[in-house]
Every structure is written in C-alpha cells, then in structure tokens.
C-alpha cells in the first residue's frame, strides 16, 4: 500500500511537470528540431520552456547518444556511403569527400547525404593550401573543423546516433590554387552526392569564365573513363605501367571534338593562352574496403537493434 501511494505521488509529480510544457514553445522547438514529442517535452522541462536552451539540450543529448552508439559500432565495416563534392561559385576551389556507412538504405537517407554535402562545403577551406593544385587532405584535419555549432567529428558522431550505423569520414581531396579553374562531377546519385566523383583543375592565363564549362565536362569525363595519368610523359615517368589508354589527354573526349589533348589545344586558341590539366582525382564509393560476408536477414535485424 505504501509503495502504491509513493507511485501515485511520483506520477502526479510527473503529470504536473508535463503540464508545465508551453505548447507554443513545444511547436517552435519541433519546427527547429523535429525530434519526437516526448523528447521535445523532456528538453523543454529541463530548460524551463526556453527554446534556445532546449535546442542546446537536444544537441548535447544527441551527441551523447551518438558517442554511446559509436562505441558499439566502431568495428563494423562501412563499405557503403556516398561521394560528395562542393565547388565555389567562382570555380577556384573544390572539395570531394567520401562518407561511409554500412547499408545502401542509410546511404540514400537525406540526413546522411546532407551531412556528406555539408562536410564537403567545410573542406573547401583547404583548397589551395597545398603545393599541389589537386591534393589529398588529412581526415583528422577536416574532422576538427567547425560545422555549425560543433565540429565535423561531432556531426559524424551525432549521425551515428540518429542513423544507428557506423559512419566514417574515409577520405578527402581538394582542388584549387592561384590561377586554377576547377570542376567537379558525381555520378550515381542526386545533386552533389553519388557513387563516383571526380575533381579536375585547369591552369591557364586565359579568361577563366571560358574554362569553367570545360572543367566541369572534364570532371564528368574522368568519372566515366577513369584515366590514371594526365599526359603520356607522366605515364612514361611512372614506368609505363598499365595501358596507355589510361592517359587522359590521349582519350577521346566524352563530349566530342577529338581527344582531350586536342580539346585543350582548341581551348588554348579560344582563350589566347595555353590551357592544361593541372591535376585530377577520382573517388569510387567503398573503393578498397573489404566487405564482410552478407549476414542473414535475422542477423541484420539483430545488428540494427544492438
């Protein structure tokens, strides 16, 4: 009987607290952060109906949940995911990132795709910071950068909690620098994120606006034809390993007009200055990742519930 009385008192106390949630604040909070009703109420109760404080509470709660989940799933193979690119309006700086996850279902999730695109935008700050026009960037360096109110690393951790899978920032590349005109392209997805991506950088003293479309087209060509070298001389310096057809300038341009080398000569004549490819890089989602044997449906369900 005593225990029942204590429970009734506790329930009345909870109901009293729940009744103190401001309906207008609750509506506003869920517009800004569409969490469950119960989570939004808990945030407002803890924050005395202050929406800004409640938002901070939710962010901290999501990060803590993500960290807890990340500890459980950190050893899972993230062979799916997306390649995302970002190019600034002037086409002087571009970034490409590969964000990995465990399943194609999450790879197509709007939250996941938006995270990859946001990380690519943050990475543009590294463009032109290397001696090379096209360069790889350390994942840890980008992970430490700010993304909104938190770091990229925190955003990835929070995504693990929201999506329930291991999420990994696998690799990063940039293109840009003095006098460079850059282009980017992704295939096998929507918008600026997909399954295969490429960055291309052109160098010329000619009019950059004339070269912008060509840089984008060359990025599309690199995605489709997967060259390994820019010039035949570069291929020879590498020991002539592999097929000479892997030389970009020797390949027939995907948009016509001859080989890529001939198209560059035409661009040089049109701009009144030599145009050359300063570099390119191509990412394929899951490239180099060894996928584990596919589990049974029952194992997949148990894994998601872990």
């Amino acid at each position: 009987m005593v225990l029942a009385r204590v429970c009734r008192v506790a329930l009345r106390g909870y109901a009293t607290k729940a009744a103190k949630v401001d309906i207008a604040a609750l509506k506003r909070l869920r517009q800004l952060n569409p969490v469950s009703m119960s989570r939004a109420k808990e945030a407002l109760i803890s924050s005395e109906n202050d929406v800004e404080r409640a938002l901070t509470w939710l962010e901290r709660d999501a990060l803590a949940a993500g960290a807890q989940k990340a500890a459980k799933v950190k050893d899972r193979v993230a062979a799916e995911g997306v390649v995302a690119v970002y190019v600034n309006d002037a086409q002087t700086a571009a970034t490409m990132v590969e964000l990995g996850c465990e399943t194609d279902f999450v790879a197509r999730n709007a939250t996941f795709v938006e995270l990859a695109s946001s990380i690519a935008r943050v990475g543009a700050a590294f463009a032109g910071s290397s001696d090379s026009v096209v360069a790889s960037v350390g994942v840890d360096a980008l992970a430490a950068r700010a993304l909104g109110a938190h770091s990229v690393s925190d955003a990835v951790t929070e995504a693990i909690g929201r999506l329930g899978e291991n999420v990994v920032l696998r690799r990063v590349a940039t293109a840009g620098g003095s006098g460079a005109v850059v282009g980017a392209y992704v295939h096998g997805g929507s918008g600026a994120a997909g399954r295969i991506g490429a960055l291309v950088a052109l160098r010329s003293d000619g009019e950059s606006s004339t070269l912008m479309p060509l840089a984008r087209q060359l990025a599309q060509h690199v995605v489709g034809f997967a060259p390994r070298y820019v010039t035949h001389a570069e291929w020879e310096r590498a020991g002539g390993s592999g097929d000479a057809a892997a030389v970009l300038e020797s390949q027939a341009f995907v948009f016509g007009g001859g080989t890529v080398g001939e198209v560059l000569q035409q661009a040089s004549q049109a701009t009144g200055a030599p145009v050359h490819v300063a570099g390119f890089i191509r990412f394929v989602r899951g490239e180099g990742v060894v996928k584990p044997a596919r589990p049974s449906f029952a194992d997949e369900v148990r894994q998601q519930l872990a």
Side-chain angles (χ1 to χ4, degrees):
M1 183 178 291
V2 174
L3 180 60
R5 189 180 298 115
V6 170
C7 289
R8 284 197 297 273
V9 170
L11 287 171
R12 280 199 300 272
Y14 178 80
T16 301
K17 283 186 177 181
K20 291 182 180 179
V21 172
D22 183 82
I23 300 302
L26 180 62
K27 181 180 179 181
R28 177 60 178 159
L29 179 60
R30 296 192 74 227
Q31 286 174 339
L32 295 171
N33 189 337
V35 294
S36 67
M37 187 72 74
S38 61
R39 214 67 180 149
K41 286 181 177 180
E42 186 178 355
L44 285 169
I45 290 169
S46 301
S47 308
E48 299 177 332
N49 285 312
D50 185 310
V51 174
E52 292 301 320
R53 285 169 56 196
L55 283 170
T56 301
W57 187 95
L58 287 171
E59 288 174 356
R60 289 174 178 169
D61 181 69
L63 186 57
Q68 186 176 22
K69 185 69 178 179
K72 292 182 179 180
V73 303
K74 61 185 176 72
D75 294 326
R76 294 182 187 172
V77 177
E80 298 294 332
V82 295
V83 174
V85 297
Y86 169 78
V87 185
N88 66 359
D89 291 338
Q91 284 186 230
T92 57
T95 320
M96 180 165 61
V97 304
E98 182 187 358
L99 190 66
C101 62
E102 297 176 51
T103 66
D104 184 58
F105 177 76
V106 166
R108 291 183 280 108
N109 181 281
T111 298
F112 180 83
V113 173
E114 176 55 32
L115 174 61
S117 298
S118 297
I119 294 173
R121 285 194 293 271
V122 172
F126 289 96
S129 61
S130 168
D131 292 337
S132 300
V133 179
V134 177
S136 295
V137 174
V139 168
D140 290 343
L142 179 54
R145 287 282 178 144
L147 177 57
H150 302 291
S151 67
V152 168
S153 178
D154 286 346
V156 171
T157 300
E158 185 177 335
I160 293 172
R162 286 176 179 267
L163 300 171
E165 288 192 6
N166 193 17
V167 176
V168 179
L169 180 59
R170 287 196 64 219
R171 48 184 172 165
V172 185
T174 62
S178 178
V181 177
V182 300
Y185 181 77
V186 289
H187 173 75
S190 59
R195 190 172 59 85
I196 308 172
L199 302 180
V200 171
L202 296 177
R203 271 272 172 80
S204 176
D205 292 327
E207 177 56 47
S208 61
S209 61
T210 305
L211 299 176
M212 287 178 178
L214 178 58
R216 287 192 293 266
Q217 290 175 341
L218 282 168
Q220 188 169 350
H221 177 100
V222 168
V223 165
F225 285 79
R228 294 180 57 198
Y229 309 98
V230 175
T231 65
H232 193 79
E234 184 182 324
W235 174 70
E236 289 180 336
R237 285 196 300 273
S241 60
D243 193 343
V247 176
L248 173 62
E249 291 190 354
S250 300
Q251 293 176 339
F253 190 39
V254 67
F255 291 98
T259 65
V260 170
E262 290 168 342
V263 169
L264 291 172
Q265 289 177 357
Q266 294 164 19
S268 299
Q269 293 171 357
T271 59
V275 177
H276 70 274
V277 175
F280 67 84
I281 192 166
R282 182 178 185 267
F283 283 177
V284 178
R285 177 192 68 190
E287 196 171 29
V289 178
V290 178
K291 295 184 180 182
R294 186 175 179 83
S296 66
F297 177 72
D299 288 338
E300 286 185 348
V301 172
R302 280 193 292 270
Q303 188 181 69
Q304 291 300 319
L305 294 176

